[in-house]
Amino acid sequence: MKKFFAFLLVLALLLGAGAAGAIYYFGSPYVDYALKRGNSEDPMAPPAAFEDVYQYANKYPYAQPDPPDVERAEWTMTSFDGLKLSATHFVPENAGSHRWAILVHGYGCNQRFMWSMARRYLQRGYHVLTPDMRASGRSEGQYLTMGALEGKDVARWARAIAEEDPSAKIVLYGVSMGGADVMMALGEGLPKQVKAVVEDSGYSDLKELLTYRMDDLHVPYRDFILLAANLLMKVRTGVFLSDVSPIRAVAQSSVPVLFIHGTNDGLIPVTMMQELGASSAAERKEVVPVRGMGHAESVSLGQQYYAVIFDFVERQFSES
């Protein structure tokens, strides 16, 4: 994160110069640092900021190099903007089951980070789809958009399942940025087969998250920096920073949502979960703060964590 904070200070210094060209010239490399995949050695590598954000990357609790040992098939689809996206469909022992789960990984990760969780869903008879989100894993794309376009992709995967199995009952699950992705999907015309959403450690609004972090660090010229970051993100990725607002999406959707967040999350404040829960238009929703857990760590509770999820999801399946 040091380079990101350096970026903020560079923008602050450029305030005096007032030069849009200079802002673009000096600021774009930092947008690339945070959102652009690949490096000189590996074009498929996550953004350079990944290891700074997740300093425990090699110990990330979702890491799982081997896929579940069940029947599986590779799925592909084309995104609305022409990218070839990849996913793996894992088939439960009861292949005739109509339960489905789409498990969405977080920032800088890929679908293998969800394979440990996939085992839990498979054991309960769910078909599981684990996508590589755009600019991640085997999917095409150069830039992450922190949920703005990923939400559209999640909705497309849900529609693909609905076409495959019109009787499907689907839950969308996402962690961290994946949580933002599944919430953003709520505003993208989800099929009626989507019965529930579970988000763990997601942010309510990306601009508000950056505002929170800058205030926490006492960064000068905050409003100017946010304006510059908003414009630079648009130039590099095609979407504005301000487009990433899961709280707007949940406020417009009646799909049941389970919100989970660790109370000791040092990256995304737990207050964002509380704001999301209060804003959700869903009649059936639950807000679950997990005492003592940090960012995306609640899964380490094992059966206790999954009991909360499956209790919520399967109630929505039975009531729909």
Side-chain angles (χ1 to χ4, degrees):
M1 295 295 283
K2 293 180 180 178
K3 290 184 180 179
F4 176 71
F5 297 140
F7 160 58
L8 299 180
L9 294 176
V10 167
L11 287 180
L13 292 172
L14 288 172
L15 177 64
I23 291 174
Y24 176 78
Y25 180 80
F26 287 104
S28 292
Y30 292 97
V31 175
D32 289 351
Y33 160 77
L35 301 178
K36 186 178 180 182
R37 80 186 309 186
N39 54 49
S40 58
E41 297 180 355
D42 180 6
M44 307 296 279
F50 173 71
E51 290 188 6
D52 286 343
V53 173
Y54 293 113
Q55 295 182 8
Y56 55 93
N58 291 330
K59 299 180 181 178
Y60 194 76
Y62 293 90
Q64 175 53 253
D66 298 319
D69 186 19
V70 298
E71 179 186 347
R72 62 183 184 270
E74 299 306 310
W75 284 22
T76 60
M77 74 171 185
T78 302
S79 69
F80 79 98
D81 52 351
L83 299 177
K84 182 179 178 181
L85 305 179
S86 297
T88 303
H89 169 209
F90 295 100
V91 181
E93 183 176 351
N94 175 16
S97 170
H98 296 295
R99 293 181 175 185
W100 288 77
I102 301 177
L103 307 184
V104 182
H105 63 76
Y107 172 85
C109 302
N110 54 56
Q111 63 168 297
R112 73 177 178 85
F113 285 74
M114 306 308 293
W115 287 349
S116 179
M117 177 170 285
R119 288 177 167 82
R120 298 277 187 159
Y121 280 86
L122 287 162
Q123 289 167 1
R124 293 189 72 92
Y126 288 73
H127 291 262
V128 178
L129 193 72
T130 56
D132 282 322
M133 301 308 293
R134 61 174 54 220
S136 302
R138 297 191 304 273
S139 290
E140 293 180 346
Q142 192 172 36
Y143 285 95
L144 307 179
T145 67
M146 304 301 289
L149 301 184
E150 289 85 351
K152 296 179 183 294
D153 299 335
V154 171
R156 284 206 169 203
W157 285 121
R159 287 192 285 272
I161 291 173
E163 291 177 9
E164 176 80 10
D165 178 7
S167 298
K169 293 185 177 183
I170 305 170
V171 56
L172 310 180
Y173 171 94
V175 60
S176 191
M177 191 185 91
D181 294 349
V182 297
M183 287 188 285
M184 291 293 288
L186 290 168
E188 298 298 336
L190 289 170
K192 65 181 181 180
Q193 288 83 353
V194 175
K195 305 300 183 182
V197 169
V198 178
E199 76 84 20
D200 182 349
S201 304
Y203 37 86
S204 59
D205 184 279
L206 187 57
K207 182 179 178 182
E208 290 303 312
L209 177 59
L210 291 180
T211 300
Y212 172 85
R213 301 310 310 173
M214 285 191 284
D215 286 348
D216 191 43
L217 294 164
H218 306 291
V219 175
Y221 306 120
R222 183 196 70 187
D223 292 343
F224 170 78
I225 291 169
L226 287 171
L227 175 62
N230 194 42
L231 296 174
L232 283 168
M233 185 169 172
K234 175 66 173 179
V235 170
R236 302 302 266 186
T237 72
V239 299
F240 288 108
L241 177 75
S242 55
D243 290 333
V244 186
S245 186
I247 198 167
R248 290 202 299 263
V250 301
Q252 298 170 7
S253 174
S254 61
V255 176
V257 185
L258 171 62
F259 303 93
I260 303 174
H261 213 109
T263 59
N264 287 0
D265 192 328
L267 185 63
I268 300 171
V270 67
T271 53
M272 286 199 156
M273 177 194 66
Q274 296 160 349
E275 293 164 358
L276 285 162
S279 297
S280 171
E283 182 178 340
R284 300 195 299 272
K285 59 187 176 182
E286 291 184 13
V287 176
V288 180
V290 185
R291 187 175 301 277
M293 292 292 105
H295 185 68
E297 290 181 348
S298 300
V299 68
S300 66
L301 296 175
Q303 183 58 35
Q304 181 181 350
Y305 177 80
Y306 290 105
V308 171
I309 291 175
F310 290 126
D311 175 70
F312 177 83
V313 171
E314 290 168 12
R315 277 190 284 115
Q316 311 319 313
F317 282 6
S318 64
E319 294 176 14
S320 62

